[in-house]
């Protein structure tokens, strides 16, 4: 589950003999897949609606030598990927609110959103020789902002109260 890079006045990867510590150093990197989750952030949709979205990316070290040249730890790589993930979430602005949330499953375009996010992330990473490959990426959660949620619930409550009042008045009229 590990890959190694040997450093001796220059980088080299692969199977080589190793000299003792002062001459050469071995850096071990995990080959497993990592899941990077972003925090909830507000995004504006194509039709100017505000949604709160959370995304995730699954990544692994593809080229240990490039990874070692660019990062010294997985924490540095995750910070780098978090910046890219936040920039990638801007792709949500190309879709309307109805594309993201809809009662009719035929009108949902979540697959297109996922493909757009994934393509953007891959193109961003191709520009950097970082030794990271993003295997999967998607939006894990889409919410309405809290102030909008409160106003929707208050409207729903008013509507229910109106229905209840109409039912009471009809009951009194019949009695």
């Amino acid at each position: 589950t590990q890959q190694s890079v040997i450093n001796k006045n220059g980088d080299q990867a692969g199977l080589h003999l190793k000299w003792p510590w002062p001459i050469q150093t071995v850096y071990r990197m995990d080959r497993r897949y990592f899941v990077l989750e972003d925090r909830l952030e507000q995004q504006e949709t194509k039709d100017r609606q505000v949604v709160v979205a959370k995304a995730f990316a699954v990544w692994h070290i593809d080229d240990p030598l490039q990874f070692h040249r660019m990062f010294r730890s997985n924490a540095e790589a995750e910070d780098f990927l978090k910046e890219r993930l936040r920039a990638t979430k801007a792709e949500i602005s190309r879709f309307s609110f109805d594309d993201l949330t809809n009662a009719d499953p035929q009108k949902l375009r979540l697959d297109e959103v996922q493909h757009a996010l994934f393509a953007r992330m891959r193109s961003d990473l191709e520009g950097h020789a970082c030794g990271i490959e993003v295997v999967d990426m998607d939006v894990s959660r889409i919410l309405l902002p809290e102030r909008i949620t409160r106003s929707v619930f208050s409207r729903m409550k008013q509507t229910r109260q109106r229905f209840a009042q109409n039912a009471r008045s009809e009951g009194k009229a019949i009695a």
Side-chain angles (χ1 to χ4, degrees):
T1 63
Q2 289 186 339
Q3 297 174 342
S4 299
V5 173
I6 297 174
N7 188 356
K8 178 188 98 180
N9 297 336
D11 298 324
Q12 54 181 315
L15 185 60
H16 300 282
L17 294 174
K18 180 193 167 300
W19 289 91
W21 165 72
I23 300 169
Q24 288 183 332
T25 307
V26 176
Y27 297 98
R28 288 180 170 69
M29 289 158 235
D30 204 344
R31 291 188 332 181
R32 293 180 289 182
Y33 290 96
F34 300 98
V35 177
L36 174 69
E37 282 193 282
D38 196 19
R39 65 176 194 251
L40 289 167
E41 283 186 338
Q42 288 190 356
Q43 299 287 327
E44 193 171 281
T45 61
K46 183 178 178 180
D47 51 354
R48 301 268 188 233
Q49 296 288 331
V50 177
V51 295
V52 179
K54 182 178 184 178
F56 73 92
V58 179
W59 65 280
H60 72 105
I61 299 171
D62 186 37
D63 184 355
L65 186 57
Q66 290 293 339
F67 183 85
H68 175 69
R69 285 180 178 159
M70 187 144 179
F71 310 109
R72 292 294 177 202
S73 67
N74 282 5
E76 283 184 34
E78 285 193 353
D79 290 342
F80 173 78
L81 284 173
K82 278 182 185 178
E83 292 174 21
R84 300 291 172 275
L85 192 58
R86 284 195 190 108
T88 301
K89 279 196 313 189
E91 288 292 310
I92 291 174
S93 66
R94 292 184 31 223
F95 297 90
S96 69
F97 183 75
D98 287 338
D99 295 338
L100 301 173
T101 59
N102 203 316
D104 184 9
Q106 302 297 328
K107 294 182 181 177
L108 282 175
R109 294 176 53 196
L110 292 177
D111 286 340
E112 292 177 39
V113 172
Q114 191 262 344
H115 290 301
L117 291 172
F118 192 56
R120 169 99 183 255
M121 178 64 95
R122 281 244 166 135
S123 67
D124 281 355
L125 288 179
E126 283 176 5
H128 299 85
C130 59
I132 294 175
E133 180 186 14
V134 174
V135 180
D136 190 19
M137 185 180 170
D138 206 350
V139 176
S140 59
R141 181 177 271 184
I142 297 175
L143 304 168
L144 291 173
E146 190 175 328
R147 61 181 169 78
I148 294 175
T149 305
R150 272 191 256 123
S151 67
V152 167
F153 281 132
S154 68
R155 269 188 271 139
M156 287 172 58
K157 189 175 180 181
Q158 291 171 356
T159 304
R160 299 287 184 221
Q161 287 174 348
R162 239 182 294 127
F163 285 143
Q165 185 61 36
N166 288 342
R168 282 190 214 108
S169 63
E170 285 177 17
K172 287 181 182 178
I174 293 174

